[in-house]
Amino acid sequence: MKDSTPQPTRLADYQPYPFRIEKTDLTFRLDPKATRVLSRIRFHPNPARPGRHDLRMDGERLRLIAARIDGAPVTARPDETGLTIPADALPDGAFDFEAEVEIDPSANTALEGLYMSGGMYCTQCEAEGFRRITFYPDRPDVMAPFHVRIESDMPVLLSNGNPVAQGEGWAEWDDPWPKPSYLFALVAGDLVAVRDSFTTRSGRKVDLAIWVRAGDEDRCAYAMDSLKRAMKWDEDVYGREYDLDVFNIVAVDDFNMGAMENKGLNIFNSKLVLASPETATDADFERIESVIAHEYFHNWTGNRITCRDWFQLCLKEGLTVFRDQEFTKDMRSAPVKRIEDVLMLRARQFREDMGPLAHPVRPESYIEINNFYTATVYEKGAELIGMLKLLVGDEGYRRALDLYFERHDGQAATIEDWLKVFEDATGRDLAQFKRWYTDAGTPRLKVEEDWQPGDQGGTYTLTFTQHTPPTPGQDEKPPRVIPIAVGLLNPNGDEILPTTVLEMTEERQSFSFPGLATRPVPSILRGFSAPVVLERESSFDERTFLLAHDTDPFNRWEAGRSLARDVLLSMIRDDAAPSEPHAQALARLVTDDTLDPAFRALCLRLPSEDDLAQALADAGTTPEPERIHTVREGLATYLARQLQKDLVRIYEEMETPPPYSPDAASAGRRALRLAALGYLNRIDHGARAASLFASADNMTESAAALACLIDGGRGAREIAAFYERWKDNRLVIDKWFALQVAHAQPDMAAQVAARLAEHPDFEWKNPNRFRALMGALAANHAGFHHISGAAYRFYADWLIRLDPVNPQTTARMSAAFETWTRYDAERRAMIRAELGRIRQTPDLSRDTFEMVSRILAAEKA
Ligand code: PHE
Ligand code: ZN
């Protein structure tokens, strides 16, 4: 470890900063190796912290050239983490602090602060990157208007806010909206703009620009269109207008995350901007649309109203994810989007919540905040907003949001503020609801049923019991309020009770439905109304019934999903044969032409190997990765044979005529067609995949066909051809790396990964490239967990290598090991050894140290 004992930061220790900032002025004299940053910050005493206080500012890896207070030099010596000017060296009242520091962007491989990517300068300041740019109170509750001057011979010079002046070799920007330092951004480079404009509903004309490298202009249209739709949607649905004259987006190749909502100057990982039919898949297009919207929506939920401290991260992220999910539902198919979101939630957040990395949506302490940009904060955080909306109703939600914007605009707020707004706008008491923010873990919901026939009709009763297993540091889990959406069907398949939200508040609670002619079939947790695990024994027949008749599309899909899961689990555990009735039910569904193709495609998707491992571990069986793999492959091949005729017909009928269009309907047809291909590929010796690969005019089909060929142990020629065609396109070559590893046979995965890591194009310092290869290995469940341990070793070797270069990405990727306690003693011993080896690495970053320590701590449990 670099710092001997990293100290946790605690929510309970929060104190306001002793000073407020009236104005922040920055001048950048850019130079790749020696950039000078001049700052002038106008401080005032903060009445919230009476008395005299030292001026403590954060700062890391900065060379201090000079510092002044009100123009007079001060001798201040920075330490490892910042600079302190003692209270007695400060004037009473307001004062100016000025500093000149030197930084080295070209040496910045961590991609936090000011760094270089592909010859351009760019910044990433969330969460604590600004302290690598200059001395500053680098915390979200210190907000200030910024004025920025950039001096550089780069042709394009950008910062936050509105452009105010520019000349040969310089430009000035002014951002009138007070903001915390994490929203600061600067870009300087040889870039070209794709331009458009948007007129807000009150008539402000906003110049929109997407800045890319020359040659990439023709891949920005979808991002631009998405932006304009997002701007319009936020006006229509939330009444929120944009508030500057310009909105700039910059695409960069080296980026740790997806994208960043810097005020007026969003910076994006280029994979979330650049798309053309030939280079991007349908999934890429959909993701671009949603992330462009997400970052734009942050302008209100995150920027105008920000977080008091980083414990409140879900205040902006949960809400903004919820908003981008709603947006996608309005742009595309709502049920399909809901299913996709729940699949993701279960695969990533439930997995996190059940393991050693479980933490509350609002954590109470952290060592490195970068480690808390998690599925729990983001995706579970969004689920909490969805539950609130269900509980208070659509109108209550809108009133609460209006009040939130009105009351907290310009502030740095907390989850308490957020909940208070809902209480004040709707009169509800949300004390119990708050547990969703403070308590980690996924509740288990058991259901019992009772039917009492009677003269006035029978009474049907549902009794629910909730229980949340302990999580690290939290043993006691009091009951939470759970909104349970239910509907009832009669045996003919007619809905006799439309969706109704039951509010469960007790540990055990019953709800009765009197006056029913016959015993109903219940449809429980419709739309996945709460992020819980529903534990309900239900018969095969009941689930095929719901699969055929449920009026709630989510639960209809869920019925099929749970059928497939149970078939797989009994094949794995009891050597059972595949189920013919399951195959028949599936066939009926996927051939139902009244259903959306995208929905049918989702119904064809089997639970993943990781899902199955989790389900087994949950039920007390140690998962065997190779067995899971073999059985799942076996079921897929069985279904391919059983459904062959239908699948062939689907494959033919769902062909989409050129030209390619990324719209939801066409994408849905392709998804269904490619799902059919995935099955048929098991019995046609790769014939369809080979011919599709040869004829495809779009990346969706090329990539899927190539994956099929690799799955079947074929495709050497196609892999080579794909490389030749795309070797100059980084984003496509990322796919080339990922596909080969993700689809490698389990006993070959580590070898394939190791061979590709030797490839001259494996630029491992680029996070996208590193994730393409290593992320694909971690996602190849049977390959990663192969009993040789080769993948564990290889993966750990690379984490150790990346850590000194890029701690943030290393730490995130160490989560591949978070499920380790699920497995057998031999695998556990191997993983423990690798985790131990990582932790022992000299000078390990505190990011990775914290993650690996938390993962290892699962041992005791
Ligand atoms: N705030 C960004 C988002 O969710 C994510 C991010 C976090 C990006 C930290 C970079 C660094 O939109
Ligand atoms: Zn976000």
Side-chain angles (χ1 to χ4, degrees):
M1 273 296 305
K2 278 199 191 88
D3 334 86
S4 40
T5 32
Q7 290 305 303
T9 304
R10 286 178 217 287
L11 169 59
D13 295 342
Y14 174 82
Q15 287 238 322
Y17 190 65
F19 302 91
R20 292 186 301 106
I21 298 181
E22 182 186 320
K23 183 81 201 237
T24 297
D25 275 282
L26 301 172
T27 298
F28 288 80
R29 303 203 170 118
L30 294 178
D31 179 274
K33 290 201 156 345
T35 286
R36 289 285 170 107
V37 184
L38 288 75
S39 58
R40 188 174 68 239
I41 311 167
R42 178 116 189 116
F43 283 107
H44 289 257
N46 183 353
R49 289 283 303 276
R52 294 187 64 102
H53 298 271
D54 294 350
L55 176 67
R56 172 71 189 173
M57 285 173 288
D58 303 295
E60 286 172 13
R61 297 156 205 239
L62 306 173
R63 193 159 83 81
L64 181 61
I65 309 289
R68 282 185 295 274
I69 300 271
D70 285 339
V74 284
T75 45
R77 210 167 299 114
D79 54 51
E80 282 280 283
T81 62
L83 181 69
T84 302
I85 295 174
D88 57 23
L90 299 173
D92 289 331
F95 60 90
D96 282 339
F97 170 81
E98 288 170 280
E100 177 165 358
V101 304
E102 190 175 292
I103 53 180
D104 180 355
S106 70
N108 182 348
T109 57
L111 316 182
E112 294 173 76
L114 177 68
Y115 63 95
M116 318 260 342
S117 174
M120 69 197 251
Y121 296 85
C122 62
T123 55
Q124 173 51 46
C125 293
E126 188 178 5
E128 300 182 330
F130 193 76
R131 61 189 63 187
R132 296 177 186 206
I133 292 177
T134 193
F135 291 102
Y136 203 77
D138 190 13
R139 46 186 282 171
D141 60 344
V142 176
M143 299 170 81
F146 279 60
H147 181 94
V148 176
R149 177 181 167 89
I150 310 170
E151 299 173 7
S152 164
D153 51 16
M154 289 288 185
V156 175
L157 307 174
L158 307 173
S159 190
N160 314 91
N162 295 318
V164 285
Q166 60 177 310
E168 190 63 28
W170 63 274
E172 289 188 18
W173 291 79
D174 196 74
D175 184 359
W177 300 104
K179 67 166 175 293
S181 51
Y182 83 87
L183 290 171
F184 168 80
L186 174 154
V187 168
D190 192 357
L191 299 167
V192 293
V194 171
R195 295 184 185 277
D196 206 324
S197 72
F198 180 85
T199 303
T200 69
R201 62 176 183 180
S202 67
R204 179 202 284 269
K205 181 166 171 287
V206 183
D207 290 326
L208 311 176
I210 299 181
W211 298 89
V212 295
R213 278 197 305 240
D216 289 340
E217 308 91 299
D218 54 348
R219 287 189 289 155
C220 299
Y222 195 74
M224 183 62 89
D225 184 58
S226 301
L227 174 62
K228 290 189 290 177
R229 285 184 282 123
M231 294 178 85
K232 176 79 167 67
W233 187 91
D234 215 13
E235 293 185 348
D236 293 347
V237 181
Y238 280 81
R240 297 295 112 198
E241 258 183 67
Y242 190 60
D243 53 6
L244 291 167
D245 303 332
V246 300
F247 188 78
N248 287 309
I249 290 176
V250 181
V252 305
D253 287 337
D254 300 278
F255 203 73
N256 283 332
M257 308 282 275
M260 181 62 211
E261 69 263 26
N262 317 300
K263 183 79 186 192
L265 178 52
N266 287 187
I267 298 184
F268 270 64
N269 188 319
S270 53
K271 77 169 183 211
L272 292 168
V273 174
L274 304 179
S276 68
E278 302 75 42
T279 61
T281 64
D282 289 331
D284 294 330
F285 279 100
E286 179 169 344
R287 181 119 183 85
I288 288 169
E289 178 183 84
S290 86
V291 179
I292 291 271
H294 177 100
E295 305 311 331
Y296 174 73
F297 295 157
H298 268 313
N299 191 54
W300 276 94
T301 53
N303 301 3
R304 289 285 288 257
I305 305 179
T306 192
C307 304
R308 188 193 72 174
D309 53 68
W310 291 119
F311 297 102
Q312 322 294 331
L313 182 57
C314 64
L315 180 75
K316 72 177 176 82
E317 295 304 346
L319 177 54
T320 306
V321 171
F322 180 73
R323 276 153 50 73
D324 84 54
Q325 291 174 343
E326 286 185 301
F327 170 73
T328 299
K329 285 178 185 166
D330 285 351
M331 295 296 121
R332 294 167 178 252
S333 150
V336 165
K337 173 62 173 166
R338 184 62 184 147
I339 294 166
E340 288 170 350
D341 288 341
V342 173
L343 275 167
M344 236 267 273
L345 183 80
R346 285 177 173 156
R348 297 188 34 223
Q349 200 279 324
F350 280 25
R351 164 177 152 138
E352 182 167 81
D353 229 358
M354 286 169 199
L357 298 177
H359 56 274
V361 171
R362 184 175 72 179
E364 238 125 65
S365 87
Y366 58 76
I367 289 178
E368 172 52 64
I369 185 57
N370 282 338
N371 290 334
F372 286 82
Y373 286 78
T374 59
T376 296
V377 170
Y378 276 66
E379 273 76 35
K380 188 176 177 182
E383 292 298 316
L384 305 199
I385 314 285
M387 282 193 288
L388 266 178
K389 189 173 179 189
L390 262 189
L391 291 171
V392 304
D394 292 357
E395 275 174 33
Y397 179 77
R398 180 63 203 256
R399 254 183 289 126
L401 267 285
D402 286 347
L403 182 59
Y404 180 61
F405 294 123
E406 186 190 311
R407 188 183 282 177
H408 294 292
D409 188 11
Q411 295 179 5
T414 62
I415 289 304
E416 282 74 13
D417 295 330
W418 166 253
L419 291 175
K420 183 78 168 58
V421 155
F422 274 78
E423 292 187 326
D424 292 352
T426 68
R428 264 194 85 108
D429 177 353
L430 291 170
Q432 188 185 12
F433 187 83
K434 192 175 169 189
R435 288 183 188 149
W436 280 106
Y437 284 98
T438 57
D439 294 5
T442 306
R444 310 295 163 117
L445 195 60
K446 283 208 169 58
V447 192
E448 297 153 59
E449 293 163 66
D450 180 62
W451 169 246
Q452 299 293 336
D455 301 341
Q456 313 296 318
T459 299
Y460 179 71
T461 302
L462 288 168
T463 301
F464 298 95
T465 313
Q466 57 166 301
H467 165 73
T468 306
T471 53
Q474 285 186 337
D475 296 333
E476 290 302 308
K477 307 280 182 182
R480 310 179 189 191
V481 50
I482 303 181
I484 308 171
V486 299
L488 299 177
L489 306 178
N490 73 15
N492 302 327
D494 303 321
E495 192 169 73
I496 49 172
L497 176 77
T499 304
T500 302
V501 179
L502 311 175
E503 280 185 42
M504 182 184 192
T505 54
E506 311 289 324
E507 196 166 313
R508 184 179 165 84
Q509 203 169 345
S510 298
F511 300 87
S512 289
F513 307 91
L516 303 180
T518 49
R519 182 185 178 125
V521 178
S523 166
I524 303 173
L525 209 67
R526 284 186 156 182
F528 202 65
S529 59
V532 302
V533 176
L534 189 60
E535 292 178 346
R536 172 157 184 270
E537 298 298 325
S538 72
S539 68
F540 198 92
D541 289 350
E542 189 184 305
R543 279 183 288 183
T544 44
F545 175 86
L546 289 175
L547 182 61
H549 299 293
D550 204 324
T551 48
D552 180 66
F554 177 84
N555 265 9
R556 199 167 175 189
W557 167 81
E558 179 86 319
R561 177 83 174 176
S562 68
L563 270 179
R565 191 196 53 218
D566 288 1
V567 166
L568 282 160
L569 293 181
S570 54
M571 288 172 73
I572 293 166
R573 272 195 300 232
D574 316 324
D575 255 330
S579 152
E580 219 180 295
H582 167 239
Q584 284 160 358
L586 193 59
R588 274 195 299 278
L589 192 92
V590 299
T591 54
D592 183 345
D593 293 332
T594 65
L595 296 172
D596 179 359
F599 177 80
R600 289 189 271 159
L602 285 168
C603 293
L604 274 174
R605 202 193 289 177
L606 293 176
S608 73
E609 293 174 29
D610 190 70
D611 292 337
L612 293 166
Q614 182 166 300
L616 286 163
D618 242 9
T621 309
T622 303
E624 292 174 55
E626 55 290 303
R627 175 148 182 86
I628 294 173
H629 178 76
T630 312
V631 166
R632 187 175 176 280
E633 293 295 302
L635 178 63
T637 306
Y638 169 84
L639 291 172
R641 295 220 170 84
Q642 294 291 307
L643 276 63
Q644 184 171 1
K645 266 180 40 209
D646 297 326
L647 293 168
V648 169
R649 190 168 63 81
I650 287 172
Y651 187 74
E652 280 155 14
E653 284 179 7
M654 289 294 136
E655 192 171 341
T656 46
Y660 171 95
S661 154
D663 68 88
S666 315
R669 293 174 59 87
R670 273 186 296 271
L672 180 55
R673 181 168 197 241
L674 295 172
L677 175 67
Y679 284 95
L680 293 170
N681 183 55
R682 299 161 182 283
I683 51 177
D684 73 357
H685 308 287
R688 285 183 185 80
S691 92
L692 181 63
F693 184 85
S695 66
D697 67 347
N698 63 80
M699 182 51 68
T700 307
E701 290 174 340
S702 300
L706 188 56
C708 281
L709 291 168
I710 303 171
D711 278 337
R714 305 182 185 88
R717 236 191 36 237
E718 286 85 355
I719 291 170
F722 190 96
Y723 179 80
E724 273 312 305
R725 164 131 195 234
W726 295 115
K727 58 178 187 265
D728 296 327
N729 185 311
R730 302 172 76 140
L731 297 174
V732 181
I733 291 301
D734 288 337
K735 296 184 195 298
W736 182 80
F737 276 96
L739 280 170
Q740 295 180 71
V741 180
H743 292 268
Q745 299 304 307
D747 57 343
M748 294 294 293
Q751 269 183 62
V752 170
R755 179 171 52 71
L756 285 171
E758 302 286 309
H759 194 282
D761 288 354
F762 183 58
E763 297 160 34
W764 59 276
K765 294 184 185 176
N766 173 261
N768 287 0
R769 191 58 51 88
F770 190 89
R771 271 192 296 260
L773 197 164
M774 303 296 162
L777 182 59
N780 184 330
H781 183 261
F784 188 65
H785 294 286
H786 190 266
I787 195 64
S788 65
Y792 299 151
R793 277 192 300 280
F794 172 81
Y795 196 87
D797 283 345
W798 275 100
L799 292 185
I800 290 169
R801 185 153 177 197
L802 186 66
D803 186 66
V805 170
N806 186 332
Q808 192 183 349
T809 293
T810 310
R812 286 182 81 74
M813 296 204 62
S814 69
F817 289 116
E818 77 181 318
T819 57
W820 70 293
T821 52
R822 278 181 193 163
Y823 300 95
D824 52 89
E826 200 177 339
R827 286 186 171 84
R828 285 205 312 273
M830 291 190 286
I831 298 177
R832 186 189 304 111
E834 297 306 332
L835 289 168
R837 187 160 69 90
I838 297 169
R839 191 161 57 169
Q840 241 110 74
T841 304
D843 293 336
L844 190 70
S845 68
R846 66 180 184 158
D847 309 54
T848 306
F849 175 81
E850 180 184 31
M851 291 295 278
V852 171
S853 304
R854 283 164 67 207
I855 297 172
L856 272 168
E859 187 78 302
K860 283 167 247 129

